[in-house]
Amino acid sequence: MLDKTYRPSEVEPTHYQAWEGSGAFAADPARGQPPYTIMMPPPNVTGSLHMGHALTFTLQDVLIRFNRMNGRDALWQPGTDHAGIATQMVVERQLEAQKLSRHDLGRQRFIERVWEWKAESGGTITRQLRRLGASPDWARERFTMDEGLSAAVRKVFVDLYKQGLIYRDKRLVNWDPKLHTAISDLEVEQREVKGHMWHFKYPVDGVDDTFITVATTRPETMLGDTAVAVHPEDERYTHLVGKMVRLPIVGRLIPIVADEYSDPTKGTGAVKITPAHDFNDFEVGKRHGLEMINILDRDARLNDAVPEAYRGLDRYDARKQVVAEMEALGLLDQIVNHVHMVPYGDRSGVVIEPWLTDQWFVDAVTLAKPAIAAVETGKTRFVPKHWENTYYEWMRNIQPWCISRQIWWGHQVPAWYGPDGHIFVELTEEAAATAAAAHYGKAVDLTRDQDVLDTWFSSALWPFSTLGWPEQTPDLARYYPTDVLVTGFDIIFFWVARMMMMGLHFMGDVPFRDIYIHALVRDEKGQKMSKSKGNIIDPLDIIDKYGCDALRFTLAAMAAQGRDLKLAESRVEGHRNFATKLWNAARFCQMNECHPVAGFDPGTVTETVNRWIAGKTAEVADKVAQALEGYRFDAAAGAAYQFVWGTFCDWYLEFAKPILQGADEGAKAETRATAAWALDMILHVLHPFMPFITEELWTQTAPRDGALMRRPWPSLPGLHDAAAESEMDWVVRVVSTIRGVRSEMNVPPAAQLAVLASGLAEERVGWATTHRDLILRLARLAEFDTRPDSNKMAEVLQDGAAQIVIDEATLLMPLAGIVDLDKERARLEKEIARVEGEIAKVDRKFANPDFVAKAAPEVVEENRERREEWAAAKARLTEALQRLSGA
């Protein structure tokens, strides 16, 4: 017999170990089933499970378990990312505690230390994924610094270089002055800062007492100005275009150029151009052939390109000095308070500099063209579809991709330099030496490039490098392209787009047929979770408290396409209660000897309630399957929830009780077998969402051959019985409507009412007679009169009754002596007025254009939802008021 209480903490590790130990997660091409492949977005090896991970990996696991049950050879390819900067920082902090730096160790010893750390501590995230119930093929686990993946990285780099698609260039990058490396846009955090806008007057050369005023948030960069730009149609400045200004402090002559980048409506309409220290200015500089003067060193201190008095100064000290000198020269026009966005390194916490430096770049423009076409032609589709617009916007405006990083942990660039700086890019140092000897006519000493590659470069190869490429392995032929990528919208640019580019270029096909983009997990108020707000919900804490299945089901149930998840702990608690409901239903079945019967055929049952539940069970299996095939996780979970809690537990088991307690042994045996069969089908349907409790119930409710997760998905054609469905659905409708009206009217639970039903079709009179005892018991009625005379109806109406319309019939629920009708009307009217007041408050907010334009999106959405809730409440209250009849 099942215990009274389900204990997730005892059950979960036991089943997980059994699954993994038995090889239940493994793909098996030898079985000849059609493949189904998902590539796990490799979490950082430094990472810990957060709620975003929990959502991503839950949805992937739901799909994998569902397709595994559906007879597919399911491969969920696991692995972790070496996370260059993040991992290097972890180990460097350890060294700092020992008063050492990586330079004290040297490159080789430092890398060995990172590998040591990875062996000891790098498995945290994969252990936590096991606690989430994730079922990837762990035996195939890969790491982006594995030798096989490293070989793929080297080949891709060398091939792209020799095709002219990788090159070395001097361009602006996001430079971290603390970490001393270029970083990607994803590692840059834009923060709103209260600062100033300084207006400087630049004297026009050769024209007495004529100045052009520019505004800047970064006075120190003026020392690197090489032009002033004005809009070509700005009449204030057209007469100055082509003239020169003398750059204050520096004394250099720089031109006034016409460029549409300058916005006549902002500031003075004239902008200083510093091509080496601003991404927009860099593009202006290229258009006008301007000199690019780098005035900062790697520490963001001013270098020798500036006047001597500024050399060696920190950028912010230089700022103060520039402002003071401009004021002394009489060239400081004004200082205006200004709120603007400033880029910070998300790991170092320092302000990032756009810095002109030599780096390695990928010609992303060329590689993007086939990737754009693949989505345009439907070879790959986005779900929801609107995300393809985000993809197109970025891909059609793509910039060269900076792939080099000035750190030690990562894939070292396979490039060597000859004595004169000539570059040799080869797979090995020996090949580079051979190429150099051929180039110079003799053997020469080569120096290897010290940079490593951007982490996104190696992860861009993940869909095929993990399957053995560059070798043409059987796995590569079988599992590429993959079926679906499940990921968040924040890495469409950084990972999704780059996998598309690399997959098409090297494999000749897209890496995945579908890209399912899920939304963000926010807190219950719609706020983004962050440490600073103190609103982070730790998935492991939730699992400890409510069990893994409750968290998984909650995330799936809330994963509506295109809508962020507002996660409240109460939602998880509610789904823990759902697990408890399922557990109690299984105990009820056990206690009533509802055991699975070998060879049971639900198509042969004769009892109406059993024919009804058999059809409903088949229906929910199809509904859940169809929803999952369309990535409508919320609809799938919702259909399962409604069937299990409502149809099976609240209705079928209640309908079955009289039979199970009755004297008809044939009906009893059939109902026991049907209930056990329906419960088994429920365990199948819920398994992808709630793997642990379903496997536990599968194991405990009967002797079984094999795990539930290896069982096929229910395919139950021919069980729909229209007659049984009409009959039992009508009983459900009558009972639930009466219950709802009792609640609306505040009828005491113990009150036994006599309901009169007029106008019932003859067939339904028969149903009411057949199921009279059920209706009376479940609706808490003393009488259900299906043939009342008109006098009795009139008398009940006069005394006071609630009127209920169900299909063609009108039901009267006498309330005289049970409910104070006048008081109830007054209560309803007062509540309607209160709700109308709440609706009016929200409407006033939306009538204010400033609210819609300036309020945070989550606040606007919260108000919309609140209004919908108030409107629904008003409709219910109004309907209740209308039900009351009589004086």
Side-chain angles (χ1 to χ4, degrees), residues 163-180:
Q163 293 162 10
L165 295 172
I166 281 181
Y167 56 93
R168 193 156 174 80
D169 194 9
K170 188 182 288 289
R171 291 181 62 90
L172 281 191
V173 296
N174 297 309
W175 182 260
D176 190 312
K178 181 178 179 181
L179 300 180
H180 295 149

Side-chain angles (χ1 to χ4, degrees), residues 404-454:
S404 44
R405 300 290 181 264
Q406 290 66 53
I407 57 174
W408 287 355
W409 172 243
H411 297 99
Q412 194 169 352
V413 172
W416 289 262
Y417 298 93
D420 59 357
H422 189 85
I423 301 174
F424 299 92
V425 172
E426 300 292 346
L427 290 173
T428 64
E429 188 168 3
E430 293 74 21
T434 301
H439 176 77
Y440 292 110
K442 60 178 181 178
V444 296
D445 290 334
L446 297 178
T447 303
R448 185 159 187 184
D449 195 301
Q450 294 297 295
D451 289 353
V452 301
L453 292 167
D454 175 16

Side-chain angles (χ1 to χ4, degrees), residues 91-100 102 110 113:
V91 178
E92 286 199 83
R93 278 196 293 268
Q94 293 175 348
L95 292 175
E96 283 172 19
Q98 302 169 27
K99 296 187 168 31
L100 292 172
R102 62 180 160 123
F110 176 77
R113 281 289 293 266

Side-chain angles (χ1 to χ4, degrees), residues 622-692:
D622 288 344
K623 274 186 179 177
V624 172
Q626 288 169 14
L628 288 179
E629 285 161 2
Y631 308 112
R632 290 178 293 112
F633 297 95
D634 59 326
Y641 182 95
Q642 289 162 17
F643 173 77
V644 174
W645 191 299
T647 306
F648 183 75
C649 295
D650 283 355
W651 294 112
Y652 175 69
L653 294 183
E654 288 296 330
F655 293 162
K657 280 179 183 177
I659 302 175
L660 295 172
Q661 295 161 6
D664 186 335
E665 292 300 324
K668 190 183 294 186
E670 178 188 287
T671 303
R672 283 172 172 163
T674 304
W677 169 83
L679 178 62
D680 271 3
M681 294 304 100
I682 284 170
L683 299 182
H684 283 69
V685 168
L686 280 179
H687 180 76
F689 306 96
M690 308 177 85
F692 292 110

